[in-house]
Amino acid sequence: MWYYEKKLQYPVRVGICSPKLAKFLIEQYGGTDGELAAALRYLNQRYTIPSRVIGLLNDIGTEEFAHLEMIATMVYKLTKDATPEQLKEAGLGDHYVDHGKSVYYHNAAGQKFDMGLQSKGDPIADLYEDIAAEEKARSTYQWIINLSDDPQINDALGFLRERENVHSQRFREAVELLKEEQGQKRVF
Amino acid sequence: MSTSRKWYAPYISPLDPCPPLSPIAYETPAQLYLGFQPQGLEQFSPFDALVHGTLWPALFTPYTNPYQSKKRGEF
Ligand SMILES: [Fe+2]
């Protein structure tokens, strides 16, 4: 079960009124390598992974939901006060017709969230998938930062990008744990 | 020498509906351990290489059904 803390993992400040940026940010909301996909993938993989790694997937999967919430906050702040005309100019006209101003799970190109989540039931295959996904999420943050002129948004995106680095490192450690021979001591 | 198969015992609840299947196997094939392939590694004969799918015994990690052997938890 989960407990909810009614605050964001890291403060989200949006300094510039740029609805266009929301269209890019939505990639991390409903994109293939976005936060929703990450959360669902890890929580799903928990069941078929050796016991010593379950907790890691649980923790990171949970944290991804906290990231999802930060992205949603950014998107919402950038679109809530926009007129339909401004949304159209930002490339969000289709989104507005489909979903009004609600946040929605699709990628920057408007494709609906893809349930093709990776979960192979093979511990090594799954962890390598997760390492790759973290590196891809890290690059997505880089590309969004490159497109954004808002230093306050970029500050929060920088935080999220760093978390991907940490997750990647932890998954790499998990692979090392699963590679260990029985009864052999770990050397740090 | 690394082993290409490991076993773990998942949590088993006294309330599980089915008899426990434990331990569970997972594969850790040779390429996880080799790093950058060293030079001058031992080779199969050309014929054996074709049969094995690799020129190098160090990379040859055959797969068998882990649940068919009589003694579980072993190769
Ligand atoms: Fe992550």
Side-chain angles (χ1 to χ4, degrees), chain A residues 35 38 42 60 64 67 134 163-164 167:
Chain A
E35 303 291 357
Y42 303 149
I60 298 183
E64 305 294 10
H67 297 172
E134 293 293 339
R163 295 309 299 160
E164 311 298 359
H167 293 170

Side-chain angles (χ1 to χ4, degrees), chain A residues 32 37 45 56 60 62 67 71 91 109 128 135 139 158 161 165-166 175-177 186:
Chain A
T32 315
Q45 289 176 354
L56 179 70
I60 298 183
T62 300
H67 297 172
I71 300 292
Y128 271 110
E135 302 298 349
S139 351
R161 177 185 171 278
N165 291 340
V166 174
V175 170
E176 294 308 313
L177 283 178
R186 219 176 315 151

Side-chain angles (χ1 to χ4, degrees), chain A residues 3-32:
Chain A
Y3 289 97
Y4 183 76
E5 266 194 69
K6 200 172 160 62
K7 60 185 179 195
L8 294 174
Q9 189 189 8
Y10 186 90
V12 168
R13 297 239 160 68
V14 183
I16 297 172
C17 173
S18 164
K20 177 107 204 160
L21 192 55
K23 186 172 162 56
F24 304 142
L25 286 165
I26 209 78
E27 179 68 27
Q28 291 294 50
Y29 198 66
T32 315

Side-chain angles (χ1 to χ4, degrees), chain A residues 72-108:
Chain A
T73 305
M74 294 176 194
V75 171
Y76 175 68
K77 282 191 181 207
L78 285 168
T79 52
K80 71 185 175 76
D81 299 312
T83 63
E85 195 54 42
Q86 286 170 324
L87 289 173
K88 198 168 102 185
E89 275 165 30
L92 288 166
D94 307 359
H95 179 109
Y96 183 63
V97 172
D98 242 6
H99 307 289
K101 287 192 176 176
S102 89
V103 187
Y104 197 72
Y105 297 109
H106 50 202
N107 68 13

